[in-house]
DNA sequence: CGATATTTGATATGGTCCATAACAATTATC
DNA sequence: GATAATTGTTATGGACCATATCAAATATCG
């Protein structure tokens, strides 16, 4: 729907246009009514997604991994020996856009392209040792800082239910 | 995380790299393992969001309303007499980016900017009659095609629980 | 009052992400 | 062996997001 992206110091805190005060004395125009907006699935879904990505980036600040990069590393680790097309399309990334992404990861020595001997057109993707180490650390950060936060907020059971519902939407909607 | 956006004919169906066949006879490289990815909140959240927006755009094809535009109309209707800054910031839209958006809606005669007499700097936003009519039709389409679909998929109770959890994430994460 | 700061809408601009077309090299198909 | 299809790549354009800056109007404060 809307809402900013980068986080850090998002100067446009949504749903909080009139400063975050606890009802100071000043006149201060009343807050706007969200109305039906707050029950619009797309609206709340987008906002939640931005918040989650924000938090993810903060958690990963030390490793400098974006959600997309993390997903690539995870998928390559789980499916070593696959080529760019396979990894990219599984993640919904278009091949042309995957090139720069891999250039980045490869320049940081996190993964490597290897010319396949079977099909000399394709590049087999593998994690480097450094890539495996970084991914391992990333997983720990995600578990301890990211998922833990969600468990605090919703509780373990609800968190699992949420992910299941989102998966259902992602797959069957 | 990744995943495409526009819908229509998204040529890169995620998590389905090897065509959507029901197990044809051909050799066909085995599907990749998603592994931990399928339980990553951010991943599934982003995918669900894209699917929902996709569906929203299809439902609104006849009215040519994007989720963002719909949210603006909803908010202006609920809060008439507010200026651009207030509407934009409530939605998390940066003022500079809100200008073109309003230009669009205004050129289609869905809403109007009115110079405020109190503060001649600001533009009061109002829905035109056509804007109200379009919004009313939009709401019906959302209810009958969009939300109904979600109810079929999750059930009324789960749908409400989902939105509540997402709101919590959007607000308190 | 009058100088200065702030606010509002707007423009210009750059970055990121997403999508399409086109290409060379390689492989598959007929 | 000619033609078609695939792989990685480049180039390019669009959509969205963010920052700096500006003029006009208003607020603030000496």
């Amino acid at each position: 729907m809307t809402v900013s992206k980068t986080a850090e110091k998002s100067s446009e805190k949504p749903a909080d246009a009139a400063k975050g005060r606890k009802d100071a004395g000043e006149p201060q125009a009343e807050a706007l009514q969200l109305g039906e907006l707050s029950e619009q699935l797309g609206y709340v879904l987008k906002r939640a997604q931005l918040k989650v990505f924000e938090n993810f980036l903060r958690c990963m600040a030390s490793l400098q991994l974006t959600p997309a990069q993390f997903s690539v590393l995870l998928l390559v680790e789980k499916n070593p020996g696959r080529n760019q097309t396979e990894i990219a399309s599984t993640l919904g990334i278009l091949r042309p856009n995957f090139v720069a992404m891999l250039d980045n990861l490869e320049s940081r020595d996190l993964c490597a392209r290897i010319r396949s001997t079977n099909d000399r057109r394709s590049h087999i993707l593998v994690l480097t040792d450094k890539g495996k180490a970084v991914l391992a650390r990333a997983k720990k950060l995600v578990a301890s800082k990211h998922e833990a936060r969600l468990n605090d907020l919703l509780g373990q059971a609800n968190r699992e239910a949420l992910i299941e519902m989102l998966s259902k939407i992602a797959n069957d909607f």
Side-chain angles (χ1 to χ4, degrees), chain A residues 114-171:
Chain A
I114 304 177
R115 285 231 96 94
S116 167
T117 51
N118 305 336
D119 186 340
R120 303 210 336 268
R121 288 171 297 186
S122 58
H123 289 168
I124 295 310
L125 297 183
V126 209
L127 292 192
T128 63
D129 288 343
K130 184 181 172 191
K132 292 175 188 169
V134 167
L135 180 56
R137 285 206 287 157
K139 286 183 188 176
K140 286 181 186 172
L141 285 178
V142 167
S144 66
K145 295 190 188 298
H146 195 63
E147 293 179 10
R149 179 95 176 260
L150 190 63
N151 277 334
D152 289 350
L153 192 62
L154 302 180
Q156 174 79 15
N158 283 334
R159 179 188 150 279
E160 291 175 6
L162 171 65
I163 289 189
E164 190 180 332
M165 285 191 276
L166 291 175
S167 295
K168 203 177 285 187
I169 293 177
N171 295 323

Side-chain angles (χ1 to χ4, degrees), chain A residues 68 71-72 85 87-99 101:
Chain A
S71 70
V72 170
T85 296
I87 298 292
S89 80
T90 299
L91 291 175
I93 304 175
L94 294 170
R95 267 112 28 191
N97 299 328
F98 195 47
V99 174
M101 234 181 123

Side-chain angles (χ1 to χ4, degrees), chain A residues 34-53:
Chain A
L34 283 188
E36 320 174 38
L37 210 49
S38 52
E39 290 186 4
Q40 281 294 319
L41 174 66
Y43 179 73
V44 69
L45 197 47
K46 176 85 181 189
R47 288 177 95 78
Q49 182 257 312
L50 288 173
K51 270 291 183 71
V52 168
F53 271 41

Side-chain angles (χ1 to χ4, degrees), chain A residues 13-24:
Chain A
K13 290 286 183 60
D16 192 283
K19 297 296 163 56
R21 300 191 190 130
K22 308 259 183 189
D23 259 43

